[in-house]
Amino acid sequence: MPQASTISVLVVDDQLTMRALIRNALQQIGFKDIREAPDGEEALKNLLAKPANLVISDFNMPKMDGLALLRAVRSHPPIRQTAFVMLTGRADRELVQRAVQFGVNNYCVKPFTVQGLRDKIEQVFGQLT
Amino acid sequence: MDELEAIKVTFFQECEELLADLEGGLLAMQDGNDDGDTVNAVFRAVHSIKGGAGAFGLEPLVRFAHVFETLLDAVRSNEVPATPDLVVTLLRASDVLADHVSSARGLGDVDEAVSASMAAELKACTDPNAAPAPAAAPVVVEAAAAPVIEAAPALIGADDALDDDDLGFDFQPMTITIDEQAADVAAAAGNVWTVSIRPKSDLYRKANETALLLRELARLGPIQATLDASALPPLEFLDAEAAYATWTVRLETDEDENAIREVFEFVDGDCDLEITRGEAVAPDAALAALLAGDAPAPAPAPVVEAFEPAPVVVEAAPEPAPAPVAAAPVVAASAPVAAPTPAAAAKTQQIEVPGPGQSVIRVDPERIDRLIDLVGELVINQAMLAQRVGEYGIAPSSNLAMGLDELEQLTREIQDSVMAIRAQPVKSVFQRMPRLVREVASMTGKQARLVMDGENTEVDKTVIERLADPITHMLRNAIDHGLESPEERKAAGKNPEGVVRLAALHRSGRIVIEVQDDGKGINRERVHSIAVKKGLISPELQLTDEEIDNLIFLPGFSTADKISDVSGRGVGMDVVKRSVQALGGRISITSRPGQGSTFSLSLPLTLAVLDGMVVDVAGETLVVPLAAIVESLRPKPEEVRPLGPVGAVLAVRDSFVPLIDVGLTLGYRDSSPPPTEGVVLLVEGEDGSRAALVADAIHGQRQVVIKSLEQNYQQVDGVAAATILGDGRVALILDVDAVISLRRREPPRPVEPTLIAAE
């Protein structure tokens, strides 16, 4: 049973509000090591400088979108094993299918509850303590 | 929950930005920029507003945003063409969305009828064939290939029902363990160590040998050692017993740091040792490789490449490595330097395109204001110091004086930088204007298109806040009075849609705002006759076209035949002019009949500092704003002509200007000394009228920090503000316009300068 406080998370969203909300939800779950990036490009830079255990990323962002970030993460050996949870709107079914092809670990539909996000993360890592 | 409230505040702030992006994007589309990026940015703005609103349960906002988003999604995927008519509809929808945001924020209400009909219009645009569905009926088409149409309530209620089959397909989440990750990280970089060894001469003197150390290291795992002999001097300077070589060893081992350190146990203190986990190359190299091309980075960690061209590579071998000094080529070190260059290049490329919202720090404006105040104090303090040093007769070439000069420069730079922090693009004001233009145009039955230019022109926040009113008024005026009705325009052979241009630019240390319309221009005959009828000017007065145009700024002037809903609210251009002048600005108009008019408004870039001329008047020190001064001169007796019992005029080249003794006007003295004994500052007021201000002496030019007189004392006629001088004394900043008009009001009333000039 992994401890949430030992798992490092990178939150990627172009919207300050969403980043703040996700961070808030993660803190409620028990995460401590939380970083943020406003788009895929920044996120990738951030990960290469310092790997994270989990990436929670929005899809539609300027410059590098969530799907491109996922592909980049998976094609880059040092960070290839990073857990990747994609946040999507409800109508993005095709998008999730593509994300699955590129090796997404899970997805979470916006808007979500703290418990909803927790469930998704636990499906990846197992029950969190 | 407090934290959520704070996030909500952030959300509404972000909404303002998103609404601005939305409108900006739509306006760009209107101008024909309907490339994918623009349309996607427009979509993303609405999508983001909806997303945040959903998180806070702001239902009406979500519902409207959802309908809006659905249409934009269809536009994005080219299912619905972005015709000019559609863009106009989208712009109106963005106004309704803005109303919804304000309402959710508790600032005003949404006109439900308008919102409902707008939503219906958007739905009709999305799917022209669809029968108008009853608004409240939630239609959920799940997992269909067609665009998913769904009602917003379901979306909000979806909170507790986040099943995997949410999106209608079977998804098995991929599990991952932290251990796996750790192993992966170790495989990639974790068990790689970089050991840098810098032997001191003592190491060799004690009969130790680097080669032995390297061999010892090789027992822990495969090593790759790189010799840096760049410190090796030419032979004639070589000290045979000194150590010049350093080694960088890449070691792959499962042992921990202590095991590595143990190898160096016997040379402890005799060599500088640095053990770091991972590769020696910055991660940027890997990123650069990734960003450089579309192709995924090569599978083996690309950082290794940086090692390959290194000068000397000694493969770990059981045989002793060559002695450190022996035969090491002096060419070294060029390769390691060259290696990071592509990374650096890629980095620069990154910096060139900073995205919106990227690395932006949000700071409480009060903190910046405080900083600006403090820097103002610093400027004053520095000036005081400089003055003291001058008074003590310290030579300008002394270290102290030179140090002070440097301090002055630094202070200036700090001040500029701090002012730059508070500078903001005029965009924040400009972005409110398209909506105003749409509303005014529809109210007056005119067709108007707003073209904006120079939105990124920066100006101090204190000025920005006060730009909105004059711009609003000038725009209203341009549409209401400037533009003709579509019929009139057609009859005149013009495009029925009038163009109003709003532009901002920097010109000689000021910001200039221009509002230009392509309407009928000013009807000078009418303006003149109205001004005569209202007794504002005498009928005989011969005025130039320009002078007639500027009559509209006279108090009590209004040309509208009927008081229209838009401009005729009792606030005339004279009020605009006065408020602009109060900011140290000026406003003027130029007009060409049949082609339109241009309002031009110029303001100082900041209201915090001012370039001024420090003068002495009757023992008082005053500051005259430099912007008002045309020239300074010492009058000759023959240039001064008496006028009436106390007045006098000064002949400056071809014209006469009234001489004003500042000391007399401000009440510092009861009688004026002869002007020839003092200095005369030729000043120009905002209205272009000139006057010659008499002062006793000029001290020089200085940048002063403006301190409000109203805030600290009370308003004084003829004085704009106060400042603190280098010697710590308070000096008053002269309000040139007020001084000129004070003088005009004085009995006996002097004759108008234009008439003097005509004599």
Side-chain angles (χ1 to χ4, degrees):
Chain A
M1 266 197 275
Q3 258 182 299
S5 60
T6 60
I7 299 176
S8 53
V9 197
L10 177 66
V11 176
V12 193
D13 198 310
D14 57 327
Q15 231 191 318
L16 191 64
T17 314
M18 287 317 290
R19 291 203 302 272
L21 282 170
I22 298 166
R23 174 185 280 273
N24 184 266
L26 289 171
Q27 279 166 346
Q28 287 186 45
I29 296 170
F31 287 94
K32 294 257 185 314
D33 185 355
I34 306 167
R35 287 176 275 153
E36 296 177 17
D39 59 63
E41 230 171 78
E42 285 295 319
L44 187 59
K45 253 195 234 178
N46 194 312
L47 285 173
L48 286 170
K50 192 178 171 217
N53 300 116
L54 169 65
V55 170
I56 296 181
S57 174
D58 186 26
F59 166 64
N60 195 343
M61 295 179 290
K63 293 204 268 192
M64 186 189 254
D65 67 21
L67 216 50
L69 173 64
L70 173 64
R71 287 180 66 178
V73 166
R74 291 291 178 251
S75 64
H76 205 73
I79 54 172
R80 192 162 43 195
Q81 289 276 340
T82 313
F84 203 108
V85 173
M86 185 83 85
L87 292 175
T88 85
R90 241 196 158 215
D92 296 331
R93 188 169 168 271
E94 259 174 71
L95 165 74
V96 175
Q97 271 173 339
R98 272 160 68 207
V100 170
Q101 281 171 13
F102 294 129
V104 81
N105 295 90
N106 213 330
Y107 70 90
C108 191
V109 176
K110 288 198 277 192
F112 51 84
T113 57
V114 176
Q115 188 55 43
L117 183 64
R118 186 188 182 115
D119 289 347
K120 295 292 181 175
I121 297 172
E122 288 188 340
Q123 282 171 17
V124 178
F125 288 109
Q127 205 183 351
L128 296 170
T129 53
Chain B
M1 282 301 114
D2 271 350
E3 197 172 341
L4 279 184
E5 278 305 307
I7 299 176
K8 206 166 167 179
V9 172
T10 311
F11 168 64
F12 284 125
Q13 281 172 356
E14 204 165 25
C15 272
E16 292 295 321
E17 290 163 24
L18 291 166
L19 285 169
D21 290 350
L22 170 64
E23 191 168 39
L26 287 172
L27 290 172
M29 283 169 74
Q30 201 169 38
D31 293 339
N33 281 327
D34 52 357
D35 58 278
D37 281 351
T38 309
V39 180
N40 194 25
V42 165
F43 170 82
R44 197 165 49 230
V46 178
H47 178 77
S48 294
I49 290 175
K50 189 187 94 170
F56 294 109
L58 306 168
E59 292 200 30
L61 176 54
V62 173
R63 224 169 300 155
F64 187 81
H66 180 70
V67 178
F68 198 171
E69 181 196 21
T70 310
L71 173 55
L72 287 173
D73 196 23
V75 174
R76 193 170 60 142
S77 52
N78 289 323
E79 285 164 39
V80 172
T83 61
D85 282 350
L86 182 76
V87 176
V88 170
T89 306
L90 294 176
L91 274 167
R92 281 192 293 121
S94 75
D95 292 342
V96 177
L97 186 67
D99 287 345
H100 271 288
V101 170
S102 302
S103 154
R105 204 173 181 176
L107 307 169
D109 290 312
V110 181
D111 189 331
E112 286 304 334
V114 171
S115 170
S117 75
M118 191 72 238
E121 203 176 325
L122 292 175
K123 276 182 189 157
C125 292
T126 313
D127 191 358
N129 305 323
V139 187
V140 181
V141 183
E142 192 128 5
V148 179
I149 305 159
E150 59 194 324
L155 184 107
I156 289 166
D159 278 14
D160 334 50
L162 287 169
D163 299 328
D164 283 338
D165 54 2
D166 215 7
L167 300 177
F169 71 85
D170 194 22
F171 173 72
Q172 280 300 319
M174 292 158 67
T175 56
I176 200 164
T177 67
I178 300 291
D179 294 345
E180 263 176 57
Q181 282 190 339
D184 186 62
V185 168
N191 65 349
V192 175
W193 297 84
T194 302
V195 183
S196 111
I197 311 160
R198 196 181 295 271
K200 297 177 187 164
S201 328
D202 273 349
L203 185 136
Y204 299 110
R205 214 169 279 143
K206 290 177 184 166
N208 270 310
E209 165 65 282
T210 341
L212 297 174
L213 293 169
L214 291 175
R215 202 185 305 162
E216 209 59 38
L217 270 181
R219 285 204 184 133
L220 298 172
I223 68 164
Q224 205 174 36
T226 310
L227 170 68
D228 179 5
S230 55
L232 195 69
L235 194 60
E236 60 263 39
F237 300 113
L238 185 80
D239 178 353
E241 290 194 1
Y244 296 108
T246 58
W247 301 78
T248 307
V249 183
R250 180 185 184 275
L251 167 69
E252 271 178 54
T253 178
D254 295 326
E255 299 286 348
D256 63 357
E257 189 176 332
N258 283 337
I260 302 172
R261 222 164 261 287
E262 249 173 52
V263 172
F264 298 90
E265 204 179 352
F266 295 109
V267 294
D268 193 11
D270 293 333
C271 80
D272 291 328
L273 188 63
E274 219 175 281
I275 302 173
T276 49
R277 208 186 180 107
E279 304 283 353
V281 176
D284 284 36
L287 177 66
L290 199 68
L291 293 177
D294 262 349
V303 275
V304 181
E305 286 169 10
F307 279 96
E308 281 167 10
V312 185
V313 176
V314 185
E315 288 293 341
E319 289 306 304
V325 179
V330 188
V331 266
S334 64
V337 173
T341 320
K347 242 185 163 175
T348 348
Q349 228 175 350
Q350 291 298 303
I351 292 159
E352 279 170 9
V353 281
Q358 180 182 322
S359 337
V360 171
I361 309 172
R362 281 162 202 262
V363 183
D364 183 356
E366 270 178 31
R367 290 195 194 179
I368 296 176
D369 293 349
R370 167 109 183 102
L371 190 61
I372 286 179
D373 271 359
L374 282 175
V375 172
E377 303 288 336
L378 182 67
V379 170
I380 292 166
N381 212 280
Q382 181 273 324
M384 273 157 100
L385 263 178
Q387 191 158 343
R388 291 283 147 73
V389 166
E391 282 166 7
Y392 283 116
I394 293 168
S397 57
S398 69
N399 283 343
L400 179 62
M402 281 179 354
L404 264 177
D405 278 350
E406 267 170 45
L407 180 67
E408 184 182 347
Q409 263 186 354
L410 274 176
T411 317
R412 230 355 126 87
E413 273 175 40
I414 292 178
Q415 191 174 30
D416 287 349
S417 308
V418 171
M419 294 307 295
I421 295 180
R422 205 169 60 171
Q424 290 177 334
V426 290
K427 206 174 188 172
S428 58
V429 175
F430 273 29
Q431 69 194 18
R432 293 183 232 165
M433 298 306 157
R435 179 172 188 175
L436 175 95
V437 169
R438 284 195 292 279
E439 286 175 353
V440 174
S442 80
M443 230 185 275
T444 54
K446 307 210 168 145
Q447 288 180 19
R449 191 159 64 90
L450 180 65
V451 179
M452 294 195 288
D453 217 356
E455 293 124 295
N456 291 323
T457 309
E458 288 195 334
V459 63
D460 190 61
K461 195 187 73 146
T462 49
V463 177
I464 280 207
E465 286 161 358
R466 311 210 204 174
L467 278 177
D469 280 353
I471 293 181
T472 307
H473 215 86
M474 290 192 295
L475 278 177
R476 278 202 178 123
N477 198 81
I479 298 166
D480 197 16
H481 299 310
L483 293 184
E484 314 91 328
S485 68
E487 299 75 41
E488 279 177 79
R489 289 182 67 90
K490 262 187 235 166
K494 291 180 176 176
N495 187 334
E497 187 185 57
V499 175
V500 181
R501 193 172 153 271
L502 174 61
L505 56 144
H506 282 155
R507 191 184 289 153
S508 54
R510 295 170 78 86
I511 181 164
V512 177
I513 306 280
E514 282 180 357
V515 174
Q516 189 178 18
D517 66 67
D518 66 345
K520 54 186 180 281
I522 285 181
N523 184 340
R524 295 197 175 110
E525 264 174 48
R526 250 188 74 214
V527 166
H528 189 259
S529 70
I530 288 172
V532 170
K533 202 158 59 186
K534 297 199 169 178
L536 300 170
I537 52 167
S538 80
E540 306 89 66
L541 206 57
Q542 289 296 313
L543 296 174
T544 63
D545 285 352
E546 202 179 316
E547 281 168 329
I548 297 175
D549 290 347
N550 283 288
L551 286 176
I552 65 162
F553 293 114
L554 286 178
F557 188 93
S558 174
T559 55
D561 292 333
K562 53 176 191 245
I563 300 292
S564 71
D565 202 14
V566 183
S567 306
R569 283 182 181 152
V571 184
M573 290 311 289
D574 59 313
V575 176
V576 178
K577 181 168 189 179
R578 241 180 295 138
S579 70
V580 167
Q581 282 177 349
L583 296 174
R586 48 186 95 129
I587 188 168
S588 63
I589 184 169
T590 54
S591 176
R592 278 181 299 171
Q595 294 181 34
S597 320
T598 305
F599 280 102
S600 174
L601 162 69
S602 101
L603 286 170
L605 288 177
T606 173
L607 300 177
V609 289
L610 171 122
D611 277 311
M613 189 76 89
V614 181
V615 297
D616 250 2
V617 175
E620 301 285 334
T621 308
L622 294 170
V623 179
V624 184
L626 210 57
I629 299 176
V630 180
E631 62 178 293
S632 57
L633 44 103
R634 258 182 203 287
K636 296 189 188 81
E638 66 270 22
E639 289 167 351
V640 180
R641 311 267 180 89
L643 189 78
V646 287
V649 292
L650 180 73
V652 181
R653 285 180 282 277
D654 294 338
S655 62
F656 293 90
V657 292
L659 269 169
I660 301 174
D661 177 24
V662 180
L664 198 66
T665 313
L666 293 183
Y668 291 154
R669 56 187 165 206
D670 297 328
S671 62
S672 308
T676 44
E677 286 177 13
V679 192
V680 159
L681 296 175
L682 192 62
V683 294
E684 192 175 81
E686 297 294 349
D687 54 357
S689 62
R690 289 188 169 199
L693 303 185
V694 186
D696 299 346
I698 290 182
H699 280 299
Q701 196 179 318
R702 205 160 301 166
Q703 193 173 53
V704 296
V705 179
I706 301 175
K707 301 274 179 193
S708 161
L709 209 55
E710 286 104 279
Q711 269 172 32
N712 298 310
Y713 176 57
Q714 65 177 62
Q715 215 209 318
V716 179
D717 270 352
V719 176
T723 188
I724 302 170
L725 293 176
D727 56 8
R729 280 185 302 147
V730 172
L732 299 178
I733 301 171
L734 215 59
D735 181 341
V736 170
D737 282 281
V739 168
I740 297 176
S741 59
L742 273 178
R743 143 90 195 196
R744 274 188 197 150
R745 267 179 297 185
E746 272 168 26
R749 197 183 153 81
V751 187
E752 286 297 326
T754 40
L755 295 184
I756 303 167
E759 274 172 6

